[in-house]
Amino acid sequence: MSDVNITNSSIENPLKTANSPLWQDPNFVFVLVEPSHAGNIGSAARALAVMGFANLRVVSPRQTDFAVHPEAVAFSSGATQLLSAVQAFDDLDTALADCTLAIAVSAAGREFASPPVSPEAAVQLALQEQQGPAGKVAWVFGTERTGLSIAQAQRCQVLCSIESNPIYGSLNLAQAVQVIAYCCRQGVIKTLESASAALEFPEGHRGYATLAQVEGLMQHLEQSLIQIGYLDPERPKRLMPRLRRLFARTRLEQEEIDILRGILKTIERQ
């Protein structure tokens, strides 16, 4: 396959080509957690550019100069504008703060996580999310050697697994990004072609809570449980991970976050 020359116009409107519908979606976010090699960041940038996406984030990369690192630039194969626009974050919570749905991409299941779904099923959930008010979806990929940790996967509401050869299922980080980006592109194009009806929300509905709002609720809940003596911080066992799993199955809305935190404040006052 020949290298792809990414121009300014293709980044600004990534799916605008002669043979595809006009579509630009800044609300698909691809997040690489603690990537070890700058070349993989460059390869991921190339994969996204080819599929028409332009929102790439990295969390605690080993090479902080990845945007100009020779290996990253070489592996980006011309997608240098996208590479230079990659946002870097110190931690996963901050990288996901403005998203309403996070999908962990992992080869194996994780403790206290929902059963994994296929990329195609995850894409349908992502597209439905974006039909609501302020819906933003993050696809989260772990480090090259070990993937996502249990704690990192628990920050996501959905677990996605790419089906592969059970004898040899090792995917390079950029290859995994490519597979997911391709499925996203196909899902978007099919949705546009079928003119699917938008998800109906009541008038004045504020939409789903962002992950920052959910994380604020979890921290508030933990403090309240300690205050009333239900949670022993010296022996927490697995209470909070189980509660995270519970709320991950429940798509909390912003109004519901407000209600729950109001209840916690009342408990604390009592």
Side-chain angles (χ1 to χ4, degrees), residues 101 103 117 120-130 137 158 251:
L101 175 66
I103 301 174
V117 300
E120 293 81 2
V123 167
Q124 291 307 308
L125 293 173
L127 292 174
Q128 184 184 44
E129 182 76 15
Q130 292 186 318
V137 179
V158 178
R251 295 310 318 286

Side-chain angles (χ1 to χ4, degrees), residues 38-43 65-77 83:
N40 281 333
I41 302 176
S43 295
D65 63 340
F66 61 85
V68 295
H69 193 284
E71 188 175 281
V73 173
F75 278 76
S76 72
S77 295
L83 180 62

Side-chain angles (χ1 to χ4, degrees), residues 10 15 35-36 38 40 48 82 90 98 100 103 112 117 120 141 151 161 169 186 192 199 205 215 242 244 270:
S10 63
L15 289 185
S36 301
N40 281 333
L48 293 181
L82 194 157
D90 293 332
D98 62 337
T100 58
I103 301 174
F112 300 116
V117 300
E120 293 81 2
F141 302 81
S161 181
Q186 294 305 304
L192 291 175
L199 184 64
H205 190 280
E215 186 59 28
R242 291 185 184 278
R244 283 186 178 276
Q270 296 298 324

Side-chain angles (χ1 to χ4, degrees), residues 160-193:
C160 172
S161 181
I162 300 171
E163 185 176 355
S164 60
N165 183 349
I167 299 176
Y168 184 74
S170 177
L171 271 179
N172 174 272
L173 175 59
Q175 292 172 334
V177 171
Q178 183 83 75
V179 170
I180 295 300
Y182 173 80
C183 291
C184 287
R185 181 185 176 93
Q186 294 305 304
V188 169
I189 291 175
K190 289 179 182 178
T191 298
L192 291 175
E193 290 176 346

Side-chain angles (χ1 to χ4, degrees), residues 14 33 43-44 56 99 110 113 156 184 229:
V33 181
S43 295
L56 179 61
C99 300
R110 290 291 184 268
C156 305
C184 287

